[in-house]
């Protein structure tokens, strides 16, 4: 669970007067900043008043609703009243005698350091506006607004989502490749509406879209990233390809031995793939893992960013658990409620995988040791789509990017929309795949079969030609995580990076065994999120959200 002590919420508020002054009402809504879920609503008819008084009353009601849910929350207030935003931010003086006590009341709900204000255009404040109008309509009938009569949340969601569901993908049930191709085509033509399936909706079978977290099926075993399938074969062919890549012979026996004899977790050193230093230090409270074949790098072992086709764990490993749901909260290993809640705001990392490059649909290894490809036309469209979605959410305060071109281009698109600078962090770069850069799995199998078997069997094995092992990458990522959480405590930071770093951060935050990464899917331009608390707890809040691409 996530402690309410440092939860961030969004409050949107509005007020109106039919006559100014005239019959007036206000509305306010408390939202989850990552999912957009409505957590609370408030509205009231207040009799004859001005627009500004009604807006202030809406602000007070929204702040009090947030406090009743999470007394120690940090709050992001969004309103379309420039007057209220500027006055509450301290940039404009409050001169009107009716508004001074309301502003003072709003300022007492939360400490000033835990509330920030942002002006938004009216079209982005429709939920609160609708509630205010419902309150005024109720007053006109001589009644007060009742939550049971409100349709504001439903109407707002309906306006955000498509009127009808998209047609089912043409492939067999569970064929994520067909869904991915359709999503890409829709993005290319501008068709479809963001959030066609509704916020956070997931699914399986013929109606499943790429990026959903679903249990394995006979056609789609959950091992393959759907976004790599522009012209991909049916998922059954993927299974055949993955089966051909599983360690055999000596490699399989070695893996079985390593898994069976892996030492128990020690309090100080790690011998598994993350090898991230002391097990109890750092925000994620990392726990040493077994030395089996699963890696802390991409659960998928191959193509573009090693993220487009995965391989099953070698013989002798424990069954890989299914991917966590799209929104998960968990305490890190060794931590829990017995240690007492962390009373400070977390460092929240919004993890964005870069958009597609020309190598993505071709399923080629593309790490940090190759040609450093740029985003393709499809990737540029994905970057713009995610920039628009993050601008609408309005929670990003900092942007940090991998030094590789595809990430810097994706980060630049977001930064341009948010008006933020981009900091480049070398520790967020992708794995160096050595001589395998630019090759497909099949080509690596033909040219370097023994090296590939060794690499699949142990996280300590490096690709041919002096590339990085996943153990090396995990140490780099964990160290980077520790630096960034210290630098951005209490902030919401967008990290634009690759499959390996993102899946490493997710796995370490969950305290899950390396095998769990074989059941994670990470699409191009997808969003995940992890919150890191000062007491060592970590909470995975989102995984592989691609709703902005539909």
């Amino acid at each position: 669970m996530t402690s309410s002590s440092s939860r961030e919420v969004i409050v949107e508020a509005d007020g109106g007067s039919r006559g100014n002054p005239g019959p007036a009402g206000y509305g306010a809504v408390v939202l989850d900043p990552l999912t957009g879920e409505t957590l609370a609503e408030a509205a009231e008819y207040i009799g004859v008043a001005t627009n500004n008084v009604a807006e202030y009353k809406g602000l007070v009601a929204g702040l009090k609703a947030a406090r009743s849910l999470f007394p120690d929350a940090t709050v992001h207030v969004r309103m379309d009243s420039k007057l209220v935003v500027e006055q509450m931010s301290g940039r404009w003086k409050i001169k009107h005698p009716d508004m001074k006590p309301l502003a003072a009341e709003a300022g007492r709900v939360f400490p000033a350091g835990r509330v920030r204000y942002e002006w938004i255009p009216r079209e982005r404040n429709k939920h609160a506006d609708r509630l205010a109008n419902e309150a005024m309509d109720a007053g006109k009938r001589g009644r007060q607004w009742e939550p049971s009569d409100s349709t504001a949340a439903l109407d707002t969601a309906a306006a955000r989502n498509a009127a009808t569901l998209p047609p089912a993908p043409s492939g067999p049930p569970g064929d994520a490749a067909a869904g991915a191709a359709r999503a890409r085509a829709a993005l290319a033509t501008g068709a479809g509406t963001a959030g066609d399936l509704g916020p956070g909706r997931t699914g399986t079978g013929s109606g499943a879209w790429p990026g959903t977290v679903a249990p394995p099926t006979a056609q789609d075993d959950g091992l393959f990233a759907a976004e790599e399938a522009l012209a991909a074969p049916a998922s059954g062919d993927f299974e055949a390809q993955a089966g051909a890549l599983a360690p055999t012979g000596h490699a399989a026996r070695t893996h079985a031995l390593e898994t069976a004899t892996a030492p128990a977790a020690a309090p100080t050193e790690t011998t598994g793939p993350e090898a991230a230093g002391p097990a109890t230090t750092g925000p994620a409270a990392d726990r040493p893992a077994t030395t089996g074949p699963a890696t802390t790098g991409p659960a998928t072992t191959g193509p573009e960013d090693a993220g487009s086709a995965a391989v099953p764990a070698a013989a002798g490993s424990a069954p890989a658990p299914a991917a966590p749901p799209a929104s998960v909260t968990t305490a890190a290993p060794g931590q829990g409620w017995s240690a007492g809640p962390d009373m400070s705001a977390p460092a929240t990392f919004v993890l964005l995988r870069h958009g597609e490059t020309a190598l993505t649909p071709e399923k080629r290894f593309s790490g940090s040791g190759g040609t450093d490809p740029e985003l393709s036309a499809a990737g540029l469209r994905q970057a713009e789509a995610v920039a628009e979605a993050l601008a609408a959410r309005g929670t990003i305060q900092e942007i940090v990017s991998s030094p590789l071109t595809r990430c810097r281009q994706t980060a630049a698109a977001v930064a341009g929309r948010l008006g933020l600078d981009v900091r480049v962090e070398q520790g967020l770069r992708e794995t160096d795949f050595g001589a395998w850069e630019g090759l497909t799995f099949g080509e690596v199998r033909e040219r370097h079969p023994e090296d590939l078997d060794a690499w699949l069997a142990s996280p300590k094995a490096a690709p041919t030609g002096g590339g990085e092992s996943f153990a090396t990458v995990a140490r780099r990522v964990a160290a980077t995580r520790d630096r960034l959480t210290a630098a951005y405590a209490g902030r919401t930071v967008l990290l634009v990076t690759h499959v390996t770093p993102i899946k490493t951060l997710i796995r370490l935050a969950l305290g899950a065994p390396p095998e769990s990464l074989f059941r994670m899917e990470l699409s191009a331009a997808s969003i995940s999120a992890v919150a890191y608390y000062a007491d060592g707890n970590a909470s995975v809040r989102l995984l592989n959200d691609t709703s902005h691409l539909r």
Side-chain angles (χ1 to χ4, degrees), residues 70 73 113 225 249 251 257 261 306 311 363 410 432 448 458 494 543 550:
F70 310 106
L257 179 62
T261 61
V311 296
K363 303 178 180 295
T410 305
D432 181 349
H448 310 286
S458 172
L494 180 70
L543 178 65
R550 304 189 195 107

Side-chain angles (χ1 to χ4, degrees), residues 33-121:
L34 292 178
T35 67
E37 176 188 3
T38 297
L39 304 176
E41 292 179 320
E44 184 181 11
Y45 173 69
I46 59 174
V48 176
T50 65
N51 282 329
N52 294 145
V53 167
E55 289 165 343
Y56 262 106
K57 284 184 174 289
L59 169 62
V60 171
L63 290 171
K64 288 182 176 179
R67 184 181 63 185
S68 68
L69 291 174
F70 310 106
D72 298 298
T74 56
V75 184
H76 179 186
V77 174
R78 303 195 298 208
M79 298 181 67
D80 60 39
S81 172
K82 187 74 170 176
L83 177 76
V84 175
V85 168
E86 293 298 318
Q87 288 180 341
M88 291 303 299
S89 298
R91 293 185 288 270
W92 292 2
K93 291 184 178 180
I94 305 173
K95 298 180 179 180
H96 198 286
D98 291 340
M99 289 186 283
K100 284 183 177 180
L102 292 171
E105 183 180 5
R108 290 192 296 268
V109 179
F110 286 95
R114 293 219 307 269
V115 183
R116 61 188 176 98
Y117 291 86
E118 178 190 12
W119 176 86
I120 58 175

Side-chain angles (χ1 to χ4, degrees), residues 217-271:
T217 68
Q219 290 76 24
D220 176 12
D221 63 2
L223 297 178
F224 308 100
E227 81 287 2
E228 309 295 356
L230 178 61
S235 57
D237 292 335
F238 286 154
E239 291 171 329
Q241 178 187 13
L245 295 171
T248 58
H250 174 72
R253 290 192 296 274
T254 301
H255 167 222
L257 179 62
E258 288 178 343
T259 303
T261 61
T268 54
E269 289 189 347
T270 64
T271 56

Side-chain angles (χ1 to χ4, degrees), residues 125-487:
N125 201 30
K126 290 183 177 180
H127 193 153
D129 178 77
R130 177 60 182 269
L131 288 170
N133 277 284
E134 286 183 352
M136 287 184 279
D137 291 341
K140 186 177 180 180
R141 298 191 299 269
R143 300 170 50 194
Q144 274 294 351
W145 177 86
E146 294 289 340
S148 59
D149 297 333
S150 177
T151 61
L154 294 175
D155 292 346
T156 303
R160 185 172 59 242
N161 299 332
T164 59
L165 292 178
S170 58
D175 183 4
R182 191 192 187 312
R184 185 179 289 104
L187 187 60
T189 59
T193 302
D196 281 342
L197 292 179
R201 178 167 177 170
T202 61
T204 59
S206 60
W209 277 89
T212 58
V213 178
T217 68
Q219 290 76 24
D220 176 12
D221 63 2
L223 297 178
F224 308 100
E227 81 287 2
E228 309 295 356
L230 178 61
S235 57
D237 292 335
F238 286 154
E239 291 171 329
Q241 178 187 13
L245 295 171
T248 58
H250 174 72
R253 290 192 296 274
T254 301
H255 167 222
L257 179 62
E258 288 178 343
T259 303
T261 61
T268 54
E269 289 189 347
T270 64
T271 56
E274 69 265 30
T280 56
T281 62
D286 308 337
R287 174 180 294 175
T290 65
T291 55
T295 68
T296 60
T300 59
T301 56
E304 158 73 7
D305 284 343
S308 58
V311 296
S317 67
S327 179
V328 182
T329 57
T330 181
Q335 301 290 338
W337 292 109
S338 60
D342 172 18
M343 300 301 290
S344 62
T348 301
F349 290 173
V350 178
L351 309 173
L352 172 61
R353 184 189 170 194
H354 63 79
E356 289 185 8
T357 74
L359 300 181
T360 307
E362 295 182 4
K363 303 178 180 295
R364 296 184 180 276
F365 281 94
S366 181
S368 58
T371 58
D372 193 16
E374 297 182 347
L375 295 180
S376 64
L380 291 171
R381 289 191 293 270
Q382 290 169 338
E384 290 299 327
V386 76
E388 181 177 355
L390 291 172
R393 293 181 180 183
T395 58
I396 302 300
Q397 298 169 285
E398 311 280 351
I399 301 177
V400 181
S401 173
S402 156
L404 299 184
T405 299
R406 52 196 181 272
C407 286
R408 288 190 289 107
Q409 287 180 303
T410 305
V414 179
R417 292 295 299 271
L418 300 184
L420 297 174
D421 294 327
V422 178
R423 168 185 167 183
V424 174
E425 170 57 60
Q426 293 293 326
L428 294 178
R429 68 187 183 276
E430 181 57 290
T431 305
D432 181 349
F433 292 109
W436 301 352
E437 295 277 358
L439 302 180
T440 65
F441 259 156
E443 290 168 343
V444 173
R445 170 63 74 193
E446 291 176 0
R447 302 179 191 184
H448 310 286
E450 293 184 0
D451 289 349
L452 182 60
D453 280 345
W455 185 71
L456 295 176
S458 172
K460 298 179 181 179
T464 305
E468 292 180 289
S469 71
F470 285 130
T472 299
V473 174
R475 286 192 293 271
R476 162 165 55 88
V477 169
T480 301
R481 174 206 60 201
D482 292 348
R483 288 197 306 273
L484 294 179
T485 52

